[in-house]
Amino acid sequence: MMTRKWIERIEGEASIGFEFEENKVSFASIAFPHFRGMEAILQSKPAMDALVIAPRVCGICGHSHLFAAVRAIESVYANSGFPLEISPKAQILRELTLSLELIQNHFKWLYMVIYPELSHLLQRPIADSCRLKGAYAASLATKVLAIFAGQWPHSSYMIPGGVTCDPTYVDTVRAMGILDELMRWFEKEVTGISMEEYLSISSAKDLSHVSGDMRDIDKMLRTAKMHKQGFSYDRYMVLGNHGFSNPSKYMHRRMAKVNPQLVMLEDPYTVDEKTYAKNALYQNNAFETGPLARAVTNGVPFIKHLHRYFRDSTYTRIMARSYETALLLDHCKTLLQSLRLDEPSFIEPSKKITSLSEEGVGIVEAPRGPLIHKVTLNKGIVDHYTLITPTQWNLSCGSPQTQGPAQKAMIGADSIETATFTFRSFDVCSVCTTH
Amino acid sequence: MKPRLKVLWLQGVTCNGNTHSFLNYPHLLYVLETFEFLYHSLLPSTYTLEEISTCVHECDILIFEGAYDPRMERVGTSLETLVGHYGSHAKYVIAAGSCASFGGMFKHSDPEHITGLGFDEKEPKGPFASSPKLINLSGCPMHPEWMGYTLRMIADNKPIAVDELHRPKELYSYLAHHGCTRNEYFEWKVDSDHFGTKEGCLFYKQGCRGPMTHASCNKILWNDVSSKTRVGTPCFGCTEPDFPRINMFETKTNMSIPQDVPVGISKRSYLTMAGIAKSFHIPRLEKRLIDDDA
Amino acid sequence: MKNISEKPATTKKEDRKTSIMQTALKLFSTEGFYTTTMPAIAKTLGMSVGNFYNYFSSKDQLAKELMLYISTVLGDKLREINMTDVSVKEKVTMIVHMYFSIARERPELIEYFLRVFLSNREIFTKECTGMVCVSGFVTELMLFFDEGVQSGELKDQDFFSALGLFMGYLGGMVFLNGEEVLTKPLNEYETAIAENIYNALRKQ
Ligand code: SF4
């Protein structure tokens, strides 16, 4: 018998059907009921308009969609024989604002989803103001982002050939100041230790130095036995190429190169509920994407250590995302310091986009993993647009034989509540999954 | 303590961009102290969406985000039922963002059935067409301060005057052009000839809709620090009923003459002024603002 | 910008100014721009040279105001046509007719534009840069083109390529007429010219 449950507060809703055997979840099927048809909206539009439309796929990771869209268009240029030159300055700015979007996402997820849900699970309610911490930290990150991108959400400042902004050192100094403030806040509230110290921890033992909210979360996760459940395939996929990621796959405890052309989409398995989410697979295999995947393939010592002991448990997954926040903050600082403002922001493409009829693919690492935009242009007009979002990997819904990572991770949970918590450890985004 | 006003934040066909925009609001603590959220997708709320969907509760203020498709269901209940129930009891209905106001981006996913709460683009249509309760906070997304202003005015019992599209006049009488750092370039018709410079106005080539768009983006800055035009991105006119337009990075011209001119200014007056302003060469405005060689 | 014809010349001084300009235009077109001196204009008007300079402080200034005056006269006529509710095609005919009528009735206006303004740009560099002194006329032409493209009748193209086609053609015909090389009176060419212009500008 299947028990259906609505999962809310995941950038929309999902409906999960649970099957139980001996009081443990034996199968869970995931359905996303909302659909907006973003790909159809993009169709027949001038290519540049995709830079305005694509961010509206998602309110929390729209900047990643912008980046993927601009890379897709730039790839059309390259495939047409006119590769564009992007100045180091524009590349740094793009990576900086993308990283900041990841940071705001992770803060919201940690404080507005994981912390309260975990407290709820253990019946240890936390103060309302605790959730606001997530919004506060996120708003500092987006403030830095907006100095360069004009606004968050829904900036369109990346364009084929670079970025539209032309910052001065007054802007970067201001950005640095806000970033410093965010890092100090992080030290005070999240870890209770200095950024440097936190970034140098390499084992679970070192966590005993941590004293902020992270310590509380760590303790609660262990109390809830999250290090002993939530296991999935232990297979990871990273496709976006950035300073903080290393495109590769991890399978059978080994890393290997990836070829994005082998990514495939499949119809979901449904039992009794309509779902609009297509499954993303690589050579017929399901892979987990996101911060844990990035940390494992990038060899982040602390996460590698946790992974060795607790594999891909819910605990490891949550720790990986939280820890990535610190890594990214540090990365942002390095990026800001390396900016050379005398370089051009934008180098005009030598060809008009209206003369191009080609395909292009843009891939970035979004908060939840690889985000792929594929576009086919006909004289600069979108003929076809395909979006493959990270949640289509993690939350894919297969049959009991072909389960997706989140489905598999929920197996064995002793209640719907714990299963749902594991589901949330993947940082679920309903709007991206179905688009 | 005064009983808190009950707010319900419902979502239609949306990307949740207004929810996330609002989370940037610096005074969320005030909001939580003054209002009780029956439901919000991320802020502390009294009920779950599932409990809300039973339609047994009532709210004072209904905030609706996203385009309105009466047939769409949220946890099994249609928007028609949800909006009908909560909206009829509420004293105010706030459309958060351009989708909720006019249909916006997501009207395009099914133009025949999808509208805003009270407008289909600029035509009155939808469950709150011509309703005095309706306040439109258009924008894609809306600015968090605009929502903050509206909520506080309601809490303080102060009247909110609205324009013919139900947008608060205090927020939407300004144009996005007002306060843009490129204003002097606009005055003297010094166009930015390509993207990526802080100099030059984006009106002639890059499609800037600032002078035709009612919004206070360059008065109340985004994320407290900037705006599209300040970072060299044209204004796309996202607070207006015709958003999203087509070819948003280009200015529509007819024989090099811009098709649209600033709101309320005749094309004859505009072209006369522009023609004269363009005749002068002003070296200060034609070179880079800050001399790199110095 | 001073707009001479829009403000009714109520004051005596304004009347006087207009009559000075008319006289100057006549003299320039018969005697030539460079050979006509300020005292000569004053003398023709029966004014003292000192008094004359109260109206125009230099020949450059007079030259500039004359251009403004002509542009306004033409601009006003064009504006009337623009405001008429007829097709763009008919408007082209009306503009050609208007231009040739002025060339016939007040040839000094068109001549000044063709012979003085266009061929002695150096006198106009200071305050008449770009299109300032012809803006009254050019603005109306812009509005005409803009309406033409918006209504779908005219092809969208660069403004100057359309302007050159239109005004260059008309100016050329007036020039040929002035040189007395045309075999027929100017007005008999109107229909053919209007048709040529319309066909050249039309959206295919
Ligand atoms: S860039 Fe846009 S908003 Fe700024 S001055 Fe120019 S027209 Fe106005």
Side-chain angles (χ1 to χ4, degrees):
Chain A
M1 208 203 72
M2 188 167 266
T3 319
R4 282 232 157 254
K5 173 97 172 86
W6 281 109
I7 314 296
E8 306 176 4
R9 299 172 160 248
I10 46 163
E11 302 301 311
E13 295 89 45
S15 155
I16 305 187
F18 293 99
E19 279 171 27
F20 282 86
E21 256 168 46
E22 294 171 18
N23 293 323
K24 293 211 185 303
V25 173
S26 58
F27 182 64
S29 83
I30 311 166
F32 290 94
H34 302 314
F35 178 69
R36 298 159 302 163
M38 286 309 296
E39 288 154 343
I41 293 178
L42 283 155
Q43 206 168 351
S44 315
K45 298 288 181 337
M48 289 294 281
D49 284 357
L51 305 176
V52 183
I53 299 168
R56 272 88 183 167
V57 171
C58 177
I60 196 165
C61 70
H63 209 66
S64 310
H65 282 280
L66 170 67
F67 202 168
V70 87
R71 277 191 169 171
I73 297 173
E74 283 168 355
S75 133
V76 168
Y77 271 101
N79 294 342
S80 312
F82 309 102
L84 301 188
E85 188 190 340
I86 313 294
S87 70
K89 170 176 143 189
Q91 291 181 30
I92 291 173
L93 284 171
R94 288 174 175 190
E95 176 140 328
L96 171 72
T97 55
L98 174 76
S99 304
L100 287 159
E101 175 163 277
L102 268 64
I103 293 170
Q104 66 80 34
N105 176 79
H106 294 359
F107 275 127
K108 283 176 187 162
W109 167 84
L110 186 65
Y111 279 103
M112 307 188 90
V113 180
I114 289 304
Y115 205 0
E117 292 291 341
L118 187 56
S119 325
H120 183 73
L121 197 66
L122 297 175
Q123 295 172 348
R124 276 186 31 195
I126 49 162
D128 279 357
S129 57
C130 196
R131 281 175 197 256
L132 292 191
K133 283 187 181 179
Y136 171 75
S139 77
L140 288 185
T142 53
K143 208 185 277 274
V144 181
L145 192 163
I147 288 178
F148 305 100
Q151 67 181 88
W152 189 92
H154 296 348
S155 158
S156 298
Y157 94 118
M158 298 181 200
I159 50 171
V163 291
T164 63
C165 66
D166 178 17
T168 64
Y169 285 110
V170 172
D171 298 310
T172 58
V173 164
R174 203 173 174 200
M176 204 69 99
I178 302 167
L179 189 64
D180 279 345
E181 192 182 322
L182 179 55
M183 286 171 128
R184 272 198 298 276
W185 181 91
F186 188 85
E187 291 171 341
K188 184 165 164 278
E189 301 289 333
V190 186
T191 61
I193 55 172
S194 75
M195 206 73 193
E196 218 186 323
E197 209 181 330
Y198 190 59
L199 287 172
S200 63
I201 62 176
S202 58
S203 69
K205 215 169 66 228
D206 294 343
L207 269 179
S208 57
H209 306 292
V210 171
S211 66
D213 294 333
M214 225 29 240
R215 181 179 186 98
D216 198 23
I217 292 168
D218 176 60
K219 277 209 297 222
M220 283 201 286
L221 284 171
R222 285 169 184 261
T223 310
K225 303 229 170 353
M226 287 301 160
H227 54 309
K228 294 192 172 146
Q229 54 183 307
F231 301 108
S232 188
Y233 290 105
D234 204 20
R235 289 202 293 254
Y236 308 102
M237 175 69 51
V238 175
L239 294 171
N241 197 354
H242 306 278
F244 58 86
S245 65
N246 171 20
S248 46
K249 67 174 182 183
Y250 178 99
M251 202 171 169
H252 309 310
R253 308 212 138 243
R254 281 223 314 274
M255 297 242 304
K257 283 213 168 74
V258 272
N259 175 5
Q261 285 181 335
L262 300 176
V263 173
M264 49 195 270
L265 286 178
E266 218 168 57
D267 280 334
Y269 167 85
T270 49
V271 189
D272 56 355
E273 183 96 340
K274 181 123 188 79
T275 183
Y276 290 96
K278 287 217 161 150
N279 299 342
L281 302 165
Y282 187 88
Q283 288 181 312
N284 281 312
N285 282 318
F287 281 85
E288 173 166 352
T289 69
L292 177 56
R294 290 192 284 258
V296 169
T297 52
N298 226 356
V300 174
F302 175 51
I303 303 304
K304 269 184 80 175
H305 171 90
L306 295 187
H307 178 249
R308 197 171 314 132
Y309 286 90
F310 309 114
R311 243 189 57 182
D312 53 347
S313 63
T314 302
Y315 174 73
T316 320
R317 194 171 293 118
I318 289 175
M319 293 309 277
R321 189 176 296 269
S322 320
Y323 197 67
E324 190 180 68
T325 316
L327 293 170
L328 288 168
L329 282 168
D330 191 54
H331 185 48
C332 286
K333 193 159 182 174
T334 314
L335 289 171
L336 261 179
Q337 270 157 348
S338 61
L339 255 188
R340 294 232 3 222
L341 296 185
D342 52 356
E343 291 166 3
S345 295
F346 170 71
I347 300 167
E348 183 112 44
S350 62
K351 271 268 169 207
K352 280 211 154 165
I353 197 153
T354 44
S355 66
L356 305 184
S357 303
E358 252 304 335
E359 275 180 26
V361 182
I363 307 177
V364 300
E365 280 296 311
R368 295 160 185 80
L371 170 63
I372 306 177
H373 280 211
K374 284 193 203 173
V375 65
T376 311
L377 296 185
N378 182 1
K379 295 216 167 75
I381 303 290
V382 175
D383 214 34
H384 207 79
Y385 210 106
T386 310
L387 301 161
I388 305 174
T389 60
T391 41
Q392 284 177 266
W393 297 83
N394 289 339
L395 312 175
S396 60
C397 185
S399 69
Q401 290 74 40
T402 61
Q403 299 181 70
Q407 270 183 304
K408 186 164 166 59
M410 286 188 275
I411 304 250
D414 56 9
S415 67
I416 287 185
E417 283 65 39
T418 41
T420 306
F421 183 76
T422 286
F423 182 62
R424 291 185 194 279
S425 71
F426 285 90
D427 194 1
V428 184
C429 177
S430 146
V431 288
C432 274
T433 315
T434 58
H435 42 267
Chain B
M1 204 173 97
K2 253 193 344 197
R4 293 183 300 168
L5 286 165
K6 290 182 177 15
V7 178
L8 173 63
W9 187 305
L10 264 187
Q11 293 167 315
V13 191
T14 182
C15 69
N16 308 328
N18 296 284
T19 290
H20 288 286
S21 182
F22 188 56
L23 290 181
N24 285 327
Y25 188 53
H27 315 299
L28 287 176
L29 207 54
Y30 158 81
V31 173
L32 294 188
E33 278 164 10
T34 316
F35 303 92
E36 173 194 352
F37 279 91
L38 298 189
Y39 180 77
H40 179 281
S41 64
L42 282 164
L43 291 171
S45 316
T46 314
Y47 302 109
T48 63
L49 189 56
E50 220 171 333
E51 287 162 338
I52 289 299
S53 71
T54 55
C55 289
V56 293
H57 307 283
E58 282 174 17
C59 63
D60 301 304
I61 302 168
L62 171 65
I63 297 176
F64 188 83
E65 164 181 21
Y68 177 73
D69 180 345
R71 306 158 309 166
M72 182 197 196
E73 289 184 357
R74 282 243 85 123
V75 297
T77 307
S78 74
L79 284 184
E80 186 166 23
T81 310
L82 284 166
V83 167
H85 169 80
Y86 289 99
S88 64
H89 290 97
K91 282 197 282 298
Y92 295 94
V93 174
I94 304 176
S98 288
C99 288
S101 301
F102 310 124
M105 181 64 71
F106 293 115
K107 180 182 168 55
H108 294 259
S109 64
D110 185 356
E112 229 182 277
H113 298 98
I114 295 180
T115 63
L117 278 187
F119 288 89
D120 182 5
E121 297 187 353
K122 59 183 189 321
E123 303 308 323
K125 197 176 164 186
F128 291 93
S130 315
S131 162
K133 285 182 186 183
L134 179 67
I135 298 175
N136 281 336
L137 297 179
S138 61
C140 190
M142 54 139 212
H143 193 296
E145 295 280 354
W146 305 347
M147 178 61 85
Y149 155 87
T150 307
L151 288 176
R152 195 155 195 148
M153 291 292 279
I154 292 173
D156 295 348
N157 249 320
K158 293 196 178 122
I160 301 172
V162 296
D163 65 15
E164 69 282 8
L165 294 171
H166 287 239
R167 303 177 293 196
K169 284 186 178 169
E170 288 189 298
L171 299 170
Y172 294 88
S173 297
Y174 293 90
L175 301 178
H177 176 65
H178 295 163
C180 173
T181 47
R182 296 166 194 270
N183 276 172
E184 201 187 16
Y185 296 99
F186 179 89
E187 277 169 42
W188 295 100
K189 298 293 137 206
V190 179
D191 317 327
S192 161
D193 38 64
H194 65 77
F195 286 107
T197 60
K198 56 187 147 310
E199 301 85 4
C201 168
L202 310 167
F203 183 74
Y204 265 85
K205 293 190 189 120
Q206 284 84 2
C208 187
R209 302 289 302 169
M212 285 78 73
T213 301
H214 296 86
S216 32
C217 300
N218 271 309
K219 175 175 188 272
I220 307 172
L221 294 180
W222 278 87
N223 307 80
D224 285 339
V225 291
S226 198
S227 70
K228 281 204 190 71
T229 63
R230 288 183 183 212
V231 298
T233 308
C235 164
F236 302 124
C238 75
T239 53
E240 297 295 340
D242 60 358
F243 177 80
R245 303 159 53 87
I246 205 99
N247 266 324
M248 288 178 275
F249 279 93
E250 267 171 45
T251 305
K252 170 86 185 97
T253 58
N254 303 318
M255 294 209 197
S256 326
I257 300 142
Q259 169 151 320
D260 298 317
V261 297
V263 177
I265 293 170
S266 79
K267 196 174 269 189
R268 183 168 279 115
S269 321
Y270 175 77
L271 290 178
T272 305
M273 279 303 298
I276 294 172
K278 227 181 162 61
S279 316
F280 301 106
H281 291 294
I282 301 166
R284 178 171 65 82
L285 296 180
E286 283 161 8
K287 55 179 204 218
R288 304 243 34 195
L289 187 62
I290 303 160
D291 212 338
D292 282 336
D293 320 321
Chain C
M1 188 189 109
K2 279 202 196 101
N3 201 329
I4 300 169
S5 72
E6 259 182 16
K7 287 188 211 116
T10 42
T11 64
K12 248 183 133 181
K13 187 159 181 179
E14 286 298 318
D15 282 347
R16 196 79 185 130
K17 247 183 125 167
T18 312
S19 77
I20 293 173
M21 287 200 282
Q22 273 156 2
T23 307
L25 276 174
K26 287 238 166 67
L27 284 174
F28 286 157
S29 74
T30 50
E31 311 291 322
F33 180 74
Y34 278 108
T35 43
T36 309
T37 61
M38 294 287 268
I41 304 169
K43 197 173 157 208
T44 314
L45 283 153
M47 287 170 79
S48 74
V49 176
N51 188 21
F52 184 82
Y53 276 102
N54 285 333
Y55 291 91
F56 296 98
S57 57
S58 67
K59 197 169 157 187
D60 280 6
Q61 199 217 338
L62 172 62
K64 176 192 128 190
E65 293 221 20
L66 282 175
M67 200 51 242
L68 273 171
Y69 170 70
I70 294 166
S71 160
T72 311
V73 170
L74 287 171
D76 285 352
K77 300 258 187 220
L78 193 48
R79 182 175 181 161
E80 270 171 44
I81 297 173
N82 270 342
M83 308 263 239
T84 323
D85 192 16
V86 294
S87 72
V88 173
K89 186 173 182 183
E90 283 168 87
K91 282 184 185 174
V92 173
T93 311
M94 288 166 83
I95 296 170
V96 174
H97 176 71
M98 175 273 281
Y99 195 85
F100 286 172
S101 306
I102 290 185
R104 200 171 51 243
E105 287 153 22
R106 300 184 68 188
E108 69 282 4
L109 297 189
I110 307 289
E111 252 172 61
Y112 182 84
F113 177 67
L114 296 176
R115 290 181 199 270
V116 181
F117 183 72
L118 291 184
S119 31
N120 300 286
R121 296 295 296 139
E122 67 282 358
I123 347 170
F124 297 94
T125 48
K126 251 190 260 148
E127 286 168 86
C128 245
T129 52
M131 311 236 273
V132 173
C133 293
V134 288
S135 94
F137 180 61
V138 171
T139 301
E140 291 302 329
L141 261 183
M142 286 180 156
L143 289 165
F144 167 74
F145 285 147
D146 175 54
E147 188 207 310
V149 177
Q150 278 200 57
S151 69
E153 275 193 77
L154 301 187
K155 174 174 75 204
D156 191 11
Q157 57 175 305
D158 183 81
F159 171 71
F160 287 103
S161 59
L163 176 84
L165 183 125
F166 206 133
M167 297 322 293
Y169 194 177
L170 294 187
M173 289 307 289
V174 171
F175 177 81
L176 291 178
N177 188 47
E179 297 296 308
E180 297 179 355
V181 279
L182 298 185
T183 51
K184 291 186 278 185
L186 197 51
N187 58 343
E188 288 187 23
Y189 291 93
E190 276 174 21
T191 320
I193 290 172
E195 210 172 287
N196 288 343
I197 294 179
Y198 181 74
N199 285 337
L201 292 176
R202 198 178 61 166
K203 192 169 177 176
Q204 302 301 326

